[in-house]
Protein backbone atom coordinates (compact mmCIF):
# COMPACT_ATOMS: atom_id res chain seq x y z
CA UNK A 1 0.00 0.00 0.00
CA UNK A 2 1.30 3.43 -0.92
CA UNK A 3 1.57 5.68 2.15
CA UNK A 4 2.63 8.90 0.46
CA UNK A 5 3.45 10.09 -3.03
CA UNK A 6 5.32 13.22 -4.08
CA UNK A 7 4.57 14.14 -7.66
CA UNK A 8 6.82 16.68 -9.40
CA UNK A 9 7.42 18.61 -6.16
CA UNK A 10 9.51 21.78 -6.17
CA UNK A 11 10.39 24.11 -3.32
CA UNK A 12 12.18 27.46 -3.50
CA UNK A 13 13.75 29.55 -0.76
CA UNK A 14 14.44 33.19 -1.55
CA UNK A 15 14.57 32.46 -5.24
CA UNK A 16 16.78 29.36 -4.97
CA UNK A 17 15.56 25.80 -5.39
CA UNK A 18 15.85 23.58 -2.32
CA UNK A 19 14.70 20.78 -4.63
CA UNK A 20 12.87 20.64 -7.94
CA UNK A 21 10.66 18.24 -9.90
CA UNK A 22 10.97 15.47 -7.31
CA UNK A 23 8.87 12.35 -7.68
CA UNK A 24 8.92 9.92 -4.79
CA UNK A 25 6.72 7.22 -3.26
CA UNK A 26 6.81 5.48 0.11
CA UNK A 27 5.09 2.15 0.70
CA UNK A 28 4.22 -0.02 3.66
CA UNK A 29 7.04 -2.34 4.73
CA UNK A 30 9.68 -0.08 3.17
CA UNK A 31 12.76 1.70 4.47
CA UNK A 32 13.84 4.38 1.99
CA UNK A 33 17.28 5.92 2.43
CA UNK A 34 18.21 9.35 1.05
CA UNK A 35 21.92 10.12 0.87
CA UNK A 36 23.20 13.61 0.13
CA UNK A 37 25.66 16.30 1.08
CA UNK A 38 24.87 19.10 3.50
CA UNK A 39 22.72 21.69 1.73
CA UNK A 40 21.49 19.25 -0.89
CA UNK A 41 17.84 19.72 0.12
CA UNK A 42 17.22 16.58 2.20
CA UNK A 43 15.98 18.40 5.29
CA UNK A 44 13.60 20.64 3.38
CA UNK A 45 12.31 17.66 1.43
CA UNK A 46 11.50 15.83 4.67
CA UNK A 47 9.88 18.99 6.05
CA UNK A 48 7.70 19.04 2.94
CA UNK A 49 6.77 15.36 3.29
CA UNK A 50 5.78 16.12 6.89
CA UNK A 51 3.63 19.04 5.67
CA UNK A 52 5.78 21.52 7.62
CA UNK A 53 6.56 23.31 4.36
CA UNK A 54 4.30 23.84 1.37
CA UNK A 55 5.78 23.10 -2.07
CA UNK A 56 5.76 25.80 -4.73
CA UNK A 57 4.57 23.31 -7.32
CA UNK A 58 3.64 19.67 -7.62
CA UNK A 59 1.41 17.55 -5.44
CA UNK A 60 1.83 15.57 -2.22
CA UNK A 61 -0.63 12.75 -1.61
CA UNK A 62 -0.84 11.14 1.84
CA UNK A 63 -2.80 7.99 2.67
CA UNK A 64 -5.91 8.41 4.85
CA UNK A 65 -5.32 7.97 8.59
CA UNK A 66 -1.57 8.41 8.21
CA UNK A 67 0.25 8.86 11.51
CA UNK A 68 3.56 10.66 11.26
CA UNK A 69 6.62 10.39 13.44
CA UNK A 70 9.36 12.91 12.68
CA UNK A 71 12.87 13.37 13.97
CA UNK A 72 14.18 16.70 12.63
CA UNK A 73 17.88 17.26 12.12
CA UNK A 74 17.78 20.10 14.64
CA UNK A 75 14.93 20.49 17.10
CA UNK A 76 14.56 24.21 17.93
CA UNK A 77 12.31 23.41 20.89
CA UNK A 78 13.83 23.85 24.35
CA UNK A 79 12.35 20.97 26.34
CA UNK A 80 12.31 21.66 30.06
CA UNK A 81 10.45 18.46 30.99
CA UNK A 82 12.33 15.44 32.25
CA UNK A 83 13.00 12.63 29.79
CA UNK A 84 10.40 10.44 31.51
CA UNK A 85 7.69 13.13 31.52
CA UNK A 86 8.38 14.24 27.96
CA UNK A 87 8.24 10.75 26.42
CA UNK A 88 5.16 9.88 28.46
CA UNK A 89 3.38 13.02 27.25
CA UNK A 90 4.36 12.38 23.62
CA UNK A 91 3.11 8.81 23.91
CA UNK A 92 -0.25 9.96 25.31
CA UNK A 93 -0.88 12.13 22.24
CA UNK A 94 -1.38 9.00 20.12
CA UNK A 95 -3.79 7.36 22.56
CA UNK A 96 -4.51 3.70 21.98
CA UNK A 97 -2.39 3.65 18.82
CA UNK A 98 0.81 4.32 20.76
CA UNK A 99 3.11 1.70 22.19
CA UNK A 100 2.09 0.36 25.60
CA UNK A 101 3.66 1.78 28.72
CA UNK A 102 5.65 -1.43 29.22
CA UNK A 103 6.92 -1.18 25.63
CA UNK A 104 7.99 2.42 26.19
CA UNK A 105 10.04 1.33 29.19
CA UNK A 106 11.67 -1.39 27.08
CA UNK A 107 12.48 1.12 24.33
CA UNK A 108 13.98 3.53 26.85
CA UNK A 109 16.19 0.76 28.24
CA UNK A 110 17.16 -0.46 24.77
CA UNK A 111 18.27 3.04 23.79
CA UNK A 112 20.33 3.42 26.96
CA UNK A 113 18.21 6.23 28.40
CA UNK A 114 17.17 4.69 31.76
CA UNK A 115 19.86 6.55 33.76
CA UNK A 116 18.60 9.89 32.42
CA UNK A 117 14.86 9.61 33.04
CA UNK A 118 14.82 12.30 35.71
CA UNK A 119 17.06 14.72 33.83
CA UNK A 120 15.52 17.67 31.94
CA UNK A 121 15.91 17.08 28.23
CA UNK A 122 17.49 20.51 27.74
CA UNK A 123 20.42 19.50 29.98
CA UNK A 124 21.37 16.42 27.94
CA UNK A 125 24.24 16.14 25.49
CA UNK A 126 23.54 16.32 21.76
CA UNK A 127 23.77 12.55 21.39
CA UNK A 128 21.34 11.90 24.24
CA UNK A 129 18.93 14.55 22.93
CA UNK A 130 19.04 12.76 19.58
CA UNK A 131 18.02 9.50 21.26
CA UNK A 132 15.15 11.24 23.06
CA UNK A 133 14.00 12.72 19.76
CA UNK A 134 14.19 9.31 18.11
CA UNK A 135 12.13 7.71 20.89
CA UNK A 136 9.60 10.54 20.68
CA UNK A 137 9.25 9.89 16.94
CA UNK A 138 8.54 6.17 17.36
CA UNK A 139 6.46 5.91 20.57
CA UNK A 140 3.27 6.86 18.73
CA UNK A 141 3.78 3.80 16.51
CA UNK A 142 3.64 5.89 13.31
CA UNK A 143 2.91 4.32 9.96
CA UNK A 144 5.06 7.04 8.32
CA UNK A 145 8.37 7.70 10.08
CA UNK A 146 10.70 10.47 8.84
CA UNK A 147 14.21 10.59 10.29
CA UNK A 148 16.70 13.35 9.47
CA UNK A 149 20.27 12.41 10.43
CA UNK A 150 19.11 9.99 13.15
CA UNK A 151 22.58 8.45 13.63
CA UNK A 152 24.38 11.71 14.45
CA UNK A 153 26.46 11.57 17.64
CA UNK A 154 25.67 7.87 18.16
CA UNK A 155 28.06 4.97 18.66
CA UNK A 156 27.78 1.76 16.64
CA UNK A 157 25.73 -0.01 19.33
CA UNK A 158 23.11 2.73 19.43
CA UNK A 159 22.96 2.89 15.62
CA UNK A 160 22.32 -0.86 15.51
CA UNK A 161 19.62 -0.54 18.18
CA UNK A 162 17.96 2.30 16.26
CA UNK A 163 18.00 0.21 13.09
CA UNK A 164 16.46 -2.75 14.95
CA UNK A 165 13.57 -0.53 16.09
CA UNK A 166 13.19 0.91 12.58
CA UNK A 167 13.18 -2.59 11.08
CA UNK A 168 10.51 -3.70 13.58
CA UNK A 169 8.30 -0.78 12.50
CA UNK A 170 8.90 -1.70 8.85
CA UNK A 171 7.94 -5.31 9.53
CA UNK A 172 4.71 -4.06 11.12
CA UNK A 173 3.64 -2.24 7.95
CA UNK A 174 5.17 1.19 8.50
CA UNK A 175 7.11 3.12 5.89
CA UNK A 176 10.31 4.87 6.93
CA UNK A 177 12.41 7.58 5.27
CA UNK A 178 15.96 8.14 6.54
CA UNK A 179 18.04 11.07 5.31
CA UNK A 180 21.76 11.33 5.99
CA UNK A 181 24.99 12.91 4.76
CA UNK A 182 27.02 9.77 5.42
CA UNK A 183 26.45 6.06 5.09
CA UNK A 184 28.24 3.34 6.97
CA UNK A 185 28.67 0.33 4.71
CA UNK A 186 27.53 -1.95 7.55
CA UNK A 187 23.96 -0.59 7.49
CA UNK A 188 23.29 -0.75 3.73
CA UNK A 189 21.42 -4.04 3.97
CA UNK A 190 18.77 -2.50 6.22
CA UNK A 191 17.43 -0.31 3.41
CA UNK A 192 14.92 -1.39 0.79
CA UNK A 193 15.34 1.55 -1.59
CA UNK A 194 18.17 4.05 -1.93
CA UNK A 195 18.14 7.60 -3.28
CA UNK A 196 20.75 10.26 -3.91
CA UNK A 197 19.86 13.93 -3.38
CA UNK A 198 22.13 15.93 -5.66
CA UNK A 199 21.85 19.14 -7.66
CA UNK A 200 18.38 19.77 -6.19
CA UNK A 201 17.11 16.49 -7.61
CA UNK A 202 16.25 13.12 -6.08
CA UNK A 203 17.71 10.18 -7.98
CA UNK A 204 16.76 6.58 -7.31
CA UNK A 205 19.83 4.36 -7.08
CA UNK A 206 19.32 0.87 -8.46
CA UNK A 207 22.77 -0.44 -7.50
CA UNK A 208 24.04 1.44 -4.48
CA UNK A 209 27.57 0.09 -4.55
CA UNK A 210 28.17 0.80 -8.23
CA UNK A 211 26.28 4.06 -8.68
CA UNK A 212 27.47 6.01 -5.63
CA UNK A 213 31.08 7.10 -5.22
CA UNK A 214 32.77 9.26 -2.62
CA UNK A 215 35.53 11.80 -2.99
CA UNK A 216 37.74 11.25 0.04
CA UNK A 217 39.89 14.22 1.00
CA UNK A 218 43.22 13.90 2.84
CA UNK A 219 46.17 16.12 3.63
CA UNK A 220 49.80 15.10 3.93
CA UNK A 221 51.76 15.15 7.21
CA UNK A 222 55.52 15.16 7.71
CA UNK A 223 55.52 11.41 8.42
CA UNK A 224 53.05 10.42 5.71
CA UNK A 225 54.02 7.39 3.63
CA UNK A 226 53.74 7.07 -0.14
CA UNK A 227 50.50 5.86 -1.65
CA UNK A 228 50.56 2.14 -2.43
CA UNK A 229 49.53 1.06 -5.91
CA UNK A 230 46.15 -0.30 -4.78
CA UNK A 231 45.17 3.19 -3.54
CA UNK A 232 46.92 5.35 -6.15
CA UNK A 233 44.55 3.76 -8.67
CA UNK A 234 41.80 5.94 -7.15
CA UNK A 235 43.84 9.16 -7.10
CA UNK A 236 41.94 12.16 -8.43
CA UNK A 237 43.98 15.11 -7.09
CA UNK A 238 47.51 15.42 -5.71
CA UNK A 239 48.35 19.11 -5.35
CA UNK A 240 50.01 21.11 -2.55
CA UNK A 241 49.74 18.36 0.08
CA UNK A 242 46.09 17.75 -0.82
CA UNK A 243 45.08 14.22 -1.82
CA UNK A 244 41.65 13.40 -3.23
CA UNK A 245 40.57 9.83 -3.92
CA UNK A 246 37.45 8.88 -5.88
CA UNK A 247 36.31 5.51 -4.51
CA UNK A 248 33.20 3.30 -4.72
CA UNK A 249 31.01 3.41 -1.65
CA UNK A 250 31.60 -0.26 -0.83
CA UNK A 251 35.33 0.30 -0.13
CA UNK A 252 35.11 3.80 1.36
CA UNK A 253 35.62 2.73 4.96
CA UNK A 254 38.50 0.38 4.22
CA UNK A 255 40.30 3.07 2.18
CA UNK A 256 39.92 5.63 4.98
CA UNK A 257 41.31 3.12 7.47
CA UNK A 258 44.32 2.32 5.27
CA UNK A 259 45.05 6.01 4.63
CA UNK A 260 45.01 6.74 8.36
CA UNK A 261 47.45 3.88 8.87
CA UNK A 262 49.69 5.58 6.28
CA UNK A 263 49.58 8.75 8.45
CA UNK A 264 47.37 10.90 6.22
CA UNK A 265 44.96 13.41 7.79
CA UNK A 266 41.37 12.62 6.83
CA UNK A 267 39.65 15.95 6.07
CA UNK A 268 36.24 14.73 4.93
CA UNK A 269 34.21 13.17 2.14
CA UNK A 270 31.58 14.21 -0.33
CA UNK A 271 29.12 12.16 -2.31
CA UNK A 272 29.59 11.85 -6.05
CA UNK A 273 27.41 10.38 -8.74
CA UNK A 274 28.57 8.39 -11.76
Amino acid sequence: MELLAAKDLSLQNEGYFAFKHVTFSLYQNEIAYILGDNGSGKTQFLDTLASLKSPDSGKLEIAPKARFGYLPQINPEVITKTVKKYLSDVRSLSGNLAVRDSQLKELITYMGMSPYLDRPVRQLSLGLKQRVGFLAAVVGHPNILLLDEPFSFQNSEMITNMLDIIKDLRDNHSGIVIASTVQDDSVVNYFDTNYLMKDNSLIKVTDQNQAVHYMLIFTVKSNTMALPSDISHYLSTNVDNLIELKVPMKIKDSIIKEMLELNYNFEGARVLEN
Side-chain angles (χ1 to χ4, degrees):
M1 174 183 169
E2 189 175 64
L3 295 172
L4 62 80
K7 299 182 177 180
D8 200 31
L9 285 189
S10 296
L11 177 70
Q12 294 187 68
N13 286 323
E14 298 180 355
Y16 294 93
F17 278 103
F19 56 84
K20 55 185 177 181
H21 305 302
V22 168
T23 296
F24 171 83
S25 294
L26 179 69
Y27 294 87
Q28 285 185 322
N29 306 102
E30 179 184 13
I31 302 174
Y33 185 79
I34 301 175
L35 179 67
D37 289 332
N38 287 323
S40 61
K42 305 183 306 300
T43 292
Q44 297 195 63
F45 181 59
L46 261 61
D47 281 349
T48 304
L49 294 183
S51 300
L52 299 177
K53 291 183 181 291
S54 298
D56 293 292
S57 61
K59 186 176 182 181
L60 178 63
E61 297 177 350
I62 300 172
K65 299 182 180 180
R67 303 186 311 280
F68 279 85
Y70 188 23
L71 171 65
Q73 181 179 6
I74 298 174
N75 188 351
E77 182 183 5
V78 177
I79 302 170
T80 58
K81 296 178 182 178
T82 64
V83 171
K84 182 177 181 180
K85 174 64 173 172
Y86 175 65
L87 292 177
S88 177
D89 288 351
V90 172
R91 173 184 167 274
S92 67
L93 293 175
S94 296
N96 294 332
L97 297 173
V99 300
R100 299 188 302 274
D101 185 61
S102 60
Q103 291 175 310
L104 175 57
K105 292 177 181 177
E106 291 173 358
L107 288 169
I108 288 170
T109 300
Y110 196 56
M111 290 305 300
M113 293 304 299
S114 297
Y116 308 99
L117 285 176
D118 295 324
R119 291 268 298 275
V121 175
R122 64 181 176 85
Q123 293 181 2
L124 300 177
S125 67
L126 289 175
L128 293 177
K129 285 180 180 177
Q130 192 78 341
R131 292 188 215 172
V132 172
F134 175 77
L135 288 168
V138 303
V139 295
H141 205 286
N143 52 14
I144 298 176
L145 178 62
L146 308 176
L147 303 171
D148 194 357
E149 302 286 0
F151 310 131
S152 297
F153 313 110
Q154 306 303 317
N155 59 34
S156 58
E157 179 185 2
M158 286 301 108
I159 291 173
T160 298
N161 290 356
M162 282 183 175
L163 286 166
D164 286 342
I165 294 169
I166 291 167
K167 184 176 180 296
D168 183 68
L169 281 168
R170 189 271 308 273
D171 293 344
N172 284 279
H173 311 302
S174 294
I176 301 96
V177 182
I178 301 173
S180 182
T181 55
V182 295
Q183 180 165 304
D184 187 326
D185 297 352
S186 64
V187 305
V188 172
N189 292 332
Y190 281 87
F191 310 136
D192 301 298
T193 49
N194 292 276
Y195 296 85
L196 179 65
M197 183 72 86
K198 187 175 176 66
D199 298 328
N200 310 117
S201 298
L202 187 67
I203 305 158
K204 189 170 185 179
V205 178
T206 55
D207 186 334
Q208 185 77 347
N209 285 331
Q210 291 183 7
V212 176
H213 283 67
Y214 280 82
M215 186 69 77
L216 305 181
I217 305 165
F218 300 88
T219 52
V220 175
K221 298 191 290 186
S222 59
N223 60 344
T224 293
M225 291 178 269
L227 289 177
S229 58
D230 63 320
I231 292 183
S232 61
H233 173 73
Y234 300 107
L235 186 63
S236 175
T237 301
N238 183 0
V239 178
D240 295 332
N241 294 327
L242 177 69
I243 302 290
E244 292 186 335
L245 304 174
K246 180 182 177 182
V247 302
M249 188 196 72
K250 63 182 178 181
I251 65 168
K252 169 179 66 73
D253 292 342
S254 63
I255 292 290
I256 293 174
K257 180 180 179 182
E258 188 171 354
M259 290 291 284
L260 292 175
E261 291 173 349
L262 293 169
N263 294 321
Y264 286 82
N265 282 322
F266 178 54
E267 303 294 344
R270 66 179 187 271
V271 180
L272 303 174
E273 177 198 352
N274 280 351

